[in-house]
Amino acid sequence: MPFSSAFRVMIYSILRRTFPTSASTPNPRRIVLARPCCIGDVVMATAALSALRNAFPDAQITWAVGPWSARAIAHHPAIDSILDAGADMPLRSPGSMLRFVSRLRAGQFDLAVSLVRSPLMSLAIYLSGIPVRAGLDSGGRGFGYNLRVPIDPAARERESEIYLKVVSAIAGREVHSYANLPVADAARRAVRARLAAADIASPFIVAHPGGGDNPGARLASKRYPPAQFAELLNRLSEASEAEVILLAGPGDGELVSEVASRLTAPASQWVGALDFQEIGALAADALVYIGNDTGLTHLAAASGARAVMLMGPTDPQRYAPFTPDHLALWKPVELQAGGAAQAGGADWNWARDGISVDDAVERILAYLLR
């Protein structure tokens, strides 16, 4: 029988009083950053990664991340190594917990930085024996950390800004950095060769109509409807005289075909054709990248693209890209309370609640003319 919310709060409160909170981080040598999933959250956490690197330039920084999301950030120049956090995060079985704790112990870290609200992550990092353990404390779930950063789950704050609070607490001063994924030269060369082979010249629009699909979480309600997505692309293509490249993973081929069938604009379908680094490189070279509130849109924005995020049942004040150059399109509407759960249980209707094609086109064209 599941524990009630009140019982969990009582347990967390007892644990918080039981576990010590003294911590000192004068000059950590080996740091582990824990943000295992999902791609959008991992990309948003690159702001904290860069701030951590700036604060401790000589430290060895390891990112504890699941294999699904590691592919998006493994090439980041601020990372020295990757620690496999396991595929079934957040530590849902005793076996996965023991394996993760063992990997943390083997790393001989002197500072752990947790950007996860899970009490199981808090417990795992406590059991690791790492001397200084800094992390988010939402509703008492950060009991395992000895440097706890309180988080109000009702506050409408950007995820990246929340993560930066942890680094600020460690550094003893306010720090800042944007989410960032520098584009690798090899990825840029590979993408430009593919564009040349396909006879695609600038300007071109990159669009990803799918997303909202990570291991353990599928939120199809975050996807702009295919008919509206196609109409949006047709009108933008006509206005900018740009070809369209439709991106998708192998599982979204049917969705891409549905959008493509409604296009009058010249278009190519690149389904499962690029890795994450190449997607970042392609987006950075595009006139504009257009996608839903998904990990790939965050990745595109962090790679330097002019990125447009079509937002529906999630709040842009929480989940818009954390970059200097992006456009989050959202029709203000009352949302279900909470964070990521907003999209999961919302009675969302794009025709009634979402931004219209007319409004989206007008705002995107104005954004491109800035």
Side-chain angles (χ1 to χ4, degrees), residues 301-336:
S303 298
R306 290 194 289 184
V308 174
M309 179 177 280
L310 300 164
M311 304 195 73
T314 48
D315 188 345
Q317 290 196 36
R318 291 177 182 263
Y319 298 116
F322 194 66
T323 61
D325 190 9
H326 71 271
L327 175 64
L329 293 180
W330 186 62
K331 175 184 173 182
V333 65
E334 184 175 350
L335 293 173
Q336 177 175 306

Side-chain angles (χ1 to χ4, degrees), residues 7-360:
F7 181 79
R8 288 196 300 269
V9 169
M10 181 185 72
I11 293 297
Y12 299 155
S13 178
I14 292 171
L15 291 172
R16 290 179 83 255
R17 291 196 299 269
T18 302
F19 292 176
T21 56
S22 60
S24 175
T25 58
N27 188 28
R29 296 175 297 104
R30 297 181 62 82
I31 301 172
V32 61
L33 174 69
R35 177 66 260 188
C37 187
C38 297
I39 290 173
D41 295 317
V42 166
V43 172
M44 286 189 283
T46 59
L49 168 69
S50 293
L52 195 62
R53 171 56 72 201
N54 291 337
F56 304 107
D58 298 324
Q60 294 287 310
I61 298 179
T62 297
W63 194 319
V65 62
W68 171 258
S69 299
R71 297 177 299 158
I73 50 86
H75 67 288
H76 198 292
I79 300 173
D80 294 298
S81 62
I82 295 290
L83 186 150
D84 183 1
D88 59 346
M89 293 296 292
L91 306 167
R92 295 186 184 277
S93 71
S96 64
M97 171 74 79
L98 289 173
R99 284 190 295 274
F100 184 57
V101 170
S102 177
R103 290 167 185 165
L104 289 175
R105 284 183 172 273
Q108 298 183 316
F109 302 109
D110 45 23
L111 169 62
V113 182
S114 174
L115 307 181
V116 185
R117 293 168 174 82
S118 165
L120 294 176
M121 177 60 76
S122 175
L123 177 61
I125 289 181
Y126 174 78
L127 294 174
S128 73
I130 297 172
V132 182
R133 306 176 301 278
L136 300 177
D137 185 20
S138 177
R141 287 174 282 187
F143 56 83
Y145 310 130
N146 50 15
L147 182 56
R148 300 167 185 159
V149 178
I151 298 299
D152 179 1
R156 296 174 67 194
E157 297 180 273
R158 293 280 186 88
E159 282 292 288
S160 290
E161 292 175 328
I162 290 172
Y163 300 159
L164 283 166
K165 289 181 179 181
V166 181
V167 185
S168 294
I170 297 165
R173 57 183 173 82
E174 187 173 346
V175 300
H176 183 272
S177 181
Y178 285 112
N180 62 97
L181 280 174
V183 174
D185 289 340
R188 196 184 301 275
R189 288 193 299 270
V191 162
R192 289 177 178 174
R194 180 180 287 273
L195 288 168
D199 199 25
I200 298 174
S202 296
F204 58 88
I205 295 167
V206 176
H208 177 232
D213 196 359
N214 282 285
R218 181 174 173 80
L219 300 172
S221 62
K222 294 165 75 172
R223 297 177 175 179
Y224 203 55
Q228 291 172 243
F229 206 110
E231 183 183 353
L232 173 65
L233 293 177
N234 282 332
R235 291 170 61 177
L236 291 175
S237 174
E238 182 179 7
S240 61
E241 298 183 346
E243 186 168 345
V244 174
I245 299 175
L246 292 173
L247 286 184
D252 282 335
E254 185 175 334
L255 174 63
V256 165
S257 294
E258 182 179 356
V259 173
S261 70
R262 301 172 182 269
L263 290 180
T264 56
S268 301
Q269 299 179 46
W270 290 12
V271 178
L274 305 178
D275 62 26
F276 286 138
Q277 292 186 54
E278 291 167 342
I279 290 171
L282 179 68
D285 275 355
L287 173 68
V288 65
Y289 176 100
I290 300 173
N292 300 305
D293 173 12
T294 69
L296 277 195
T297 308
H298 284 285
L299 184 149
S303 298
R306 290 194 289 184
V308 174
M309 179 177 280
L310 300 164
M311 304 195 73
T314 48
D315 188 345
Q317 290 196 36
R318 291 177 182 263
Y319 298 116
F322 194 66
T323 61
D325 190 9
H326 71 271
L327 175 64
L329 293 180
W330 186 62
K331 175 184 173 182
V333 65
E334 184 175 350
L335 293 173
Q336 177 175 306
Q342 290 176 322
D347 177 24
W348 182 259
N349 182 298
W350 276 101
R352 179 192 66 209
D353 305 319
I355 190 165
S356 69
V357 173
D358 287 341
D359 287 345

